Amino acid sequence: MQALSCRIQRVEDLGWENYVLHLEGAFEDAVPGQFCMLSLTRDWPVLLPRPFSYFDLEPGRSATILVKAIGPGTRALVQAPTGSELLFTGPLGRSLPDVDAAGPAPVCMAGGLALGPLPRRARRRVWPARAPVPRGARAARRAEASSVRECSRR
């Protein structure tokens, strides 16, 4: 685990209050299922940092984080200007359980932001090229944003 300063490279708006934070910094490697804590170093509107799964990670260089702006902390993160400094603590937590590569193809299932660690998990495992990834949303028009286009790119 490490605590470090990182910067917002860009914020990608996926619609329906869903965003991807693109961060740059000297991040340690993390296994799918682990998470990090994020807060702005200035003008942070809440007491505690917020927890997020790694959506993608390139150790030592960059990380992407899937965020739903639902409160003052997450709104402050997605509204921060490019170059804003964040306090990053991670990796924290445990990994997703191992899957036997010789066994049946796993089914990756998550709803909303819980799908955050699945694309990294799919890329790191010896899974069939197109393991099924069912997804859902409260409304059909939100399904596009909640599925996060990136998930289909393994």
Side-chain angles (χ1 to χ4, degrees):
M1 180 191 69
Q2 70 184 111
L4 63 91
S5 172
C6 66
R7 296 206 178 273
I8 296 176
Q9 191 175 38
R10 70 184 169 100
V11 177
E12 183 179 354
D13 186 348
L14 301 175
W16 295 97
E17 299 297 321
N18 294 290
Y19 299 86
V20 177
L21 288 180
H22 296 264
L23 308 176
E24 54 188 2
F27 305 104
E28 285 183 12
D29 197 12
V31 293
Q34 288 187 300
F35 68 99
C36 63
M37 302 291 284
L38 290 176
S39 62
L40 289 166
T41 57
R42 297 175 158 226
D43 302 320
W44 185 237
V46 293
L47 178 63
L48 299 172
R50 296 297 182 245
F52 297 98
S53 294
Y54 295 91
F55 189 57
D56 203 359
L57 177 66
E58 191 174 332
R61 299 189 65 203
S62 64
T64 55
I65 307 293
L66 187 59
V67 176
K68 183 159 187 80
I70 58 173
T74 52
R75 282 195 188 95
L77 287 171
V78 301
Q79 292 171 356
T82 298
S84 294
E85 188 177 7
L86 301 176
L87 178 59
F88 174 99
T89 305
L92 303 166
R94 299 171 72 147
S95 68
L96 297 172
D98 280 336
V99 175
D100 181 6
V107 175
C108 303
M109 187 173 290
L113 298 181
L115 77 90
L118 293 182
R120 287 192 70 230
R121 178 63 173 202
R123 283 192 299 271
R124 289 175 70 125
R125 298 298 303 168
V126 183
W127 287 355
R130 289 283 177 197
V133 182
R135 59 184 186 259
R138 281 187 252 174
R141 62 183 180 212
R142 292 187 181 187
E144 173 76 17
S146 69
S147 68
V148 188
R149 295 174 293 259
E150 188 80 20
C151 191
S152 64
R153 291 188 221 154
R154 295 204 225 318

